[in-house]
């Protein structure tokens, strides 16, 4: 009995704390991987739509895959999707404004479908001029945010993502990596920021939905303790 009393004991909260940290780190990695592959898949599908309509043109020596897309496009889009999908729930926590609007997978899937539809419209629907197309896509993109997000952080991040992504696209086109047919906004098309904004909102919603699993796990462990 005396020997048992002399044995050092860990604090009761040490085990759950270590488990919680491990769970958080593992969930973060899993969410990043899932978001990466979702971004790669969407990049392949959406970029194929743009190439089929000759909206985006890559040099012949760069087209190396059966998807008729430059090899670096899917990994870059996947990485950006992972960063965006992890950033949205992180921003919600820091602002103290948890996003609770339409938090179910059916809503997320509808958001993805609308985003694909907006991208499809930019490549397939013929408008009288680029200004009309840009205004239409801008209205659809804001409508997507209002329907599936409605958060100030989501709108602000969407604007920032659209600005940075458009700037990167301008630099890539300027350096001859690829080009757009009939550019009307410096080196790119004027509707491109609308696509980036809608894409940011979409990946943000997916990231928020994936983050809910981690919150449920932590809540269950806290309830057990």
């Amino acid at each position: 009995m005396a020997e048992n009393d002399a044995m050092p004991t860990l604090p009761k909260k040490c085990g759950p704390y270590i488990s919680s940290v491990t769970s958080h780190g593992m969930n973060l990695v899993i969410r990043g991987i899932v978001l990466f592959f979702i971004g790669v898949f969407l990049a392949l599908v959406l970029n194929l739509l743009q190439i089929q309509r000759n909206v985006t043109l890559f040099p012949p020596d760069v087209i190396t895959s059966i998807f008729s897309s430059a090899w670096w496009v899917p990994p870059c889009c996947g990485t950006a999707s992972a960063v965006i999908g992890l950033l949205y729930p992180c921003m919600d926590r820091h602002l103290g404004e948890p996003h609770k609007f339409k938090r179910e997978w059916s809503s997320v899937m509808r958001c993805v479908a609308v985003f694909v539809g907006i991208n499809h419209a930019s490549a397939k629907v013929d408008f009288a001029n680029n200004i009309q197309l840009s205004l239409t896509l801008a209205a659809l993109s804001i409508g997507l945010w209002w329907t599936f997000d409605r958060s100030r952080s989501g709108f602000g991040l969407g604007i920032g993502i659209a600005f940075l992504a458009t700037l990167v696209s301008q630099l890539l086109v300027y350096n001859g990596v690829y080009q757009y047919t009939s550019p009307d906004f410096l080196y790119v098309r004027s509707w491109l920021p609308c696509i980036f904004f809608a894409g940011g909102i979409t990946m943000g919603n997916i990231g928020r939905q994936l983050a809910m699993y981690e919150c449920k796990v932590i809540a269950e462990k806290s309830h057990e303790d």
Side-chain angles (χ1 to χ4, degrees), residues 12-23 225:
K12 187 176 181 180
K13 294 184 178 180
C14 182
Y17 175 77
I18 295 176
S19 177
S20 177
V21 171
T22 304
S23 176
D225 296 339

Side-chain angles (χ1 to χ4, degrees), residues 22-212:
T22 304
S23 176
H24 175 74
M26 183 60 66
N27 283 328
L28 196 66
V29 172
I30 293 174
R31 280 191 284 141
I33 293 174
V34 172
L35 289 165
F36 175 84
F37 282 106
I38 292 175
V40 168
F41 175 76
L42 289 176
L44 291 172
V45 174
L46 300 180
N47 196 51
L48 182 60
L49 290 175
Q50 300 287 348
I51 292 176
Q52 285 180 340
R53 290 283 290 181
N54 292 325
V55 175
T56 307
L57 298 178
F58 291 95
D61 58 336
V62 182
I63 302 178
T64 57
S65 71
I66 59 175
F67 298 100
S68 296
S69 174
W71 67 267
W72 51 267
V73 173
C76 289
C77 292
T79 302
S81 299
V83 173
I84 293 170
L86 295 176
L87 183 61
Y88 266 74
C90 180
M91 185 66 68
D92 292 338
R93 287 194 298 268
H94 280 288
L95 294 178
E97 299 177 356
H99 187 260
K100 299 180 180 179
F101 182 71
K102 292 188 176 182
R103 297 301 302 273
E104 61 273 345
W105 277 113
S106 59
S107 177
V108 173
M109 297 306 296
R110 288 195 296 269
C111 182
V112 173
V114 173
F115 170 59
V116 173
I118 292 174
N119 197 287
H120 183 75
S122 69
K124 294 290 185 179
V125 180
D126 294 324
F127 287 83
N129 51 61
N130 285 329
I131 295 178
Q132 187 180 25
L133 173 60
S134 300
L135 292 176
T136 301
L137 294 182
L140 291 174
S141 299
I142 294 176
L144 181 142
W145 167 79
W146 180 257
T147 304
F148 300 104
D149 192 314
R150 296 191 186 182
S151 66
R152 293 179 298 175
S153 60
F155 188 83
L157 285 173
I159 293 294
I161 291 166
F163 174 79
L164 291 176
T166 303
L167 179 62
V168 171
S169 297
Q170 297 276 14
L171 294 174
L172 292 175
V173 175
Y174 177 78
N175 288 280
V177 177
Y178 70 101
Q179 61 179 327
Y180 284 90
T181 56
S182 304
D184 61 322
F185 181 51
L186 294 180
Y187 302 103
V188 301
R189 303 291 287 270
S190 56
W191 45 259
L192 193 61
C194 304
I195 300 297
F196 288 139
F197 176 84
I201 298 297
T202 301
M203 294 309 305
N205 276 345
I206 296 174
R208 283 166 166 166
Q209 193 67 25
L210 290 174
M212 288 186 65

